[in-house]
Structures are given as structure tokens and as C-alpha cells.
Amino acid sequence: MAALDIRPLTRWTGAEIVGPDLSEPVDDNLAESLRRALGDWQVIFFPDQHLDIAAQKRLTRVFGPLTRSPYVVPMADDPDVIAVLKEADEVNVGVFGGDWHSDFSFLKDPPLGSVLNAVEVPPWGGDTLWANQVAALEALPDTLRQAIEGRNVIHIGKPYGVSHAPPEEERAGGSIRMVRNDPEADRETEHPAIRIDPVSGQFALNFNPTYAVRLSGMREDESAPLLDAVHRHTTRPEFCCRFRWRAGCVAVWNNYTTMHYAVNDYDGHRRMLYRTTFGK
Ligand code: SIN
């Protein structure tokens, strides 16, 4: 394996990796080291890369085959890539990914991870947070563990569906287009409350407030106090890292072991990142 210069952001979550030039093809040794680093840190960051889309897709394939995301309209000339864009004149609107979520957890087979490549960033704000759900599980109080262990959670594509659609003012602005009011997104998918990452074999909590609505066999109002308690635990700052983007930075995260949150605090400035997704 290749030796990496790994600079942790926090005790458990997130590390910057300095050195590799990802605009060049990644050889097998480096690929193995990068996958290992992702398994160790759940989200890894590469400063000063300035990747074009071809290099971003090549990097994505180091972690798994490229997958396409439903409901979010991709770039017209490349269906593998989503432009995560908020224009300077989109003010007082929601932002794509602006609450804790793990990507498309309501699908039967959610993507294993994503790559985000910063092209243009605001002079301040626009950070992204990740919360490590392996660390959150390890520190879960016994009472909560007993309440969820062996149970399933119902996930629904709330923002895209009909019955749970968010109010207009909370929706993402116009530059990123999403399919709305699709009854298919109201379909309930059952997933284990504690899921296993098929790549690293690590166990992680599988709740997120964007898509997880209740425990299987319980009504939403019955589940709500438990889900609230789990949510307060899973997003404790000790399990999180917060990344300040610079143009040219690339992030790769494990979608099975983390949640993430795009902070919407840069009205009046443009922010543009390319996103690709990988699966098994
Ligand atoms: C996302 O949820 O994938 C977007 C994250 C971000 O824009 O920071």
C-alpha cells in the first residue's frame, strides 16, 4: 500500500490527505490506501486538486462503480454528474442537502458513497458537516441501543414525494432541479436500524431525519420520541466534522457510515460543486 500523509480533522471523523495528484490515474497501491483511509475516517478530503469531470469520475471509480441518482436532474451533457449549484441571486431559499441526511437512504440499495468536487465557493460559509454513525453507534447509551437493536426503520423519499413534501419555502432553490410530487417517492422502504457497510464491515446507525420516519411496527407519533433521542445523539458534535471548502478541494464520503448537512449561510454568493456517486 502507498503511504499517505493523513491529517485528521477530529478524533473520529474526517481527514485531509495531502500529496496525491488525483488528476493522474490512481494506481492499485494508492487506490487500496485511499479505500483504507475512507474506511478509517468515513470522509476524506483532498485539497488543491482542481479536477476536471473526467478525473473526478476516474477517482469515483476507485471506490466503486459510478451510479446515477434518481429525482435529482443531472447535468445535461453528463448524466453521471450533478451540479450542486446555488447562484448568488438565490436568496431566502432552501439548499440542496440542507438538513442531516444520508443520500437516498429510502432506496432499496442506497449509494455506497459520493464525491464532491468544489469548483466555486463563497468567501465565507457554505461548509458541509458529516456525522460519523459508526462512532455514534459505539457510544449509543444502553437504553437507546436496547430500544432499536434488531429493529427496522422505515425510510421514505419525503422531499420528492407527495404525502411528506416540504413546504415551498424550505425547498432547494432553482439552480438544482429535483423531481417533486412523485408518488413513487412515498413508497416505504424498510432498512435495519443498525446497518453494515458492505465494504468495511463496520456497523453504523441508520437513521436520518430527512428520510427516516418511524420504526417498523410503530406509528410515526409513537416512534417520534425515540427518533428524536436517536437524532440528538447521532449529531453530537463529538461525532462530527465541519469542512470549510476551498476551490479545488475534493471530498469522498461513505454514505453507509455517515450523514451530512450542507450549511445554507452564504446568500448573495455563488457556490458550485460537482457531485458523483458510487455503488457496490
Ligand atoms: C449533498 O448533500 O450532497 C450536498 C452537500 C453540499 O452541498 O455541501
Side-chain angles (χ1 to χ4, degrees):
M1 283 209 299
L4 295 175
D5 180 358
I6 296 180
R7 304 179 184 182
L9 269 67
T10 72
R11 165 70 182 80
W12 288 293
T13 314
E16 216 167 37
I17 299 181
V18 179
D21 176 2
L22 301 174
S23 65
E24 296 293 326
V26 170
D27 67 26
D28 289 350
N29 277 341
L30 179 56
E32 206 184 324
S33 299
L34 296 180
R35 289 191 289 266
R36 168 74 66 90
L38 184 61
D40 288 346
W41 294 102
Q42 316 307 344
V43 52
I44 48 180
F45 305 99
F46 302 93
D48 300 321
Q49 294 291 336
H50 300 278
L51 300 186
D52 62 19
I53 285 178
Q56 178 175 349
K57 287 167 75 166
R58 197 168 55 218
L59 173 66
T60 307
R61 286 194 202 93
V62 165
F63 298 94
L66 280 165
T67 57
R68 295 180 183 173
S69 303
Y71 299 111
V72 183
V73 179
M75 287 173 67
D77 54 353
D78 196 328
D80 291 326
V81 184
I82 293 169
V84 178
L85 169 64
K86 191 173 144 202
E87 292 286 6
D89 62 1
E90 290 178 67
V91 296
N92 298 321
V93 293
V95 72
F96 179 67
D99 197 354
W100 285 111
H101 64 288
S102 93
D103 291 330
F104 299 106
S105 65
F106 59 93
L107 299 179
K108 193 167 154 292
D109 281 314
L112 278 191
S114 296
V115 177
L116 209 48
N117 173 14
V119 178
E120 194 173 341
V121 298
W124 58 80
D127 297 355
T128 310
L129 283 78
W130 280 266
N132 180 336
Q133 298 306 292
V134 176
L137 173 62
E138 278 166 13
L140 193 66
D142 284 347
T143 46
L144 280 181
R145 186 181 267 272
Q146 280 152 17
I148 62 145
E149 200 143 44
R151 304 197 64 164
N152 286 337
V153 190
I154 307 296
H155 291 242
I156 299 179
K158 280 193 284 184
Y160 313 106
V162 182
S163 55
H164 291 81
E168 199 66 46
E169 65 276 10
E170 284 174 24
R171 298 180 177 193
S175 288
I176 180 149
R177 288 194 299 119
M178 289 189 249
V179 176
R180 302 290 192 185
N181 301 315
D182 183 344
E184 273 291 297
D186 288 339
R187 193 203 302 258
E188 298 189 344
T189 312
E190 225 172 292
H191 287 296
I194 298 173
R195 69 176 160 181
I196 184 162
D197 168 20
V199 177
S200 67
Q202 298 173 100
F203 289 94
L205 286 166
N206 185 18
F207 294 80
N208 71 79
T210 303
Y211 300 125
V213 285
R214 61 188 170 80
L215 284 164
S216 175
M218 285 172 86
R219 293 193 315 267
E220 275 182 43
D221 59 326
E222 288 171 333
S223 291
L226 187 55
L227 262 54
D228 285 349
V230 170
H231 181 53
R232 276 196 302 279
H233 174 79
T234 54
T235 53
R236 274 173 49 194
E238 290 81 0
F239 311 135
C240 297
C241 71
R242 179 173 182 140
F243 190 68
R244 162 59 48 91
W245 292 99
R246 297 173 302 277
C249 284
V250 176
V252 182
W253 68 89
N254 183 327
N255 191 47
Y256 273 51
T257 59
T258 60
M259 298 191 286
H260 56 285
Y261 184 125
V263 182
N264 187 13
D265 61 351
Y266 54 94
D267 272 5
H269 298 281
R270 190 173 198 265
R271 180 178 184 271
M272 221 287 274
L273 305 93
Y274 290 133
R275 196 178 98 157
T276 44
T277 307
F278 54 90
K280 285 181 214 157

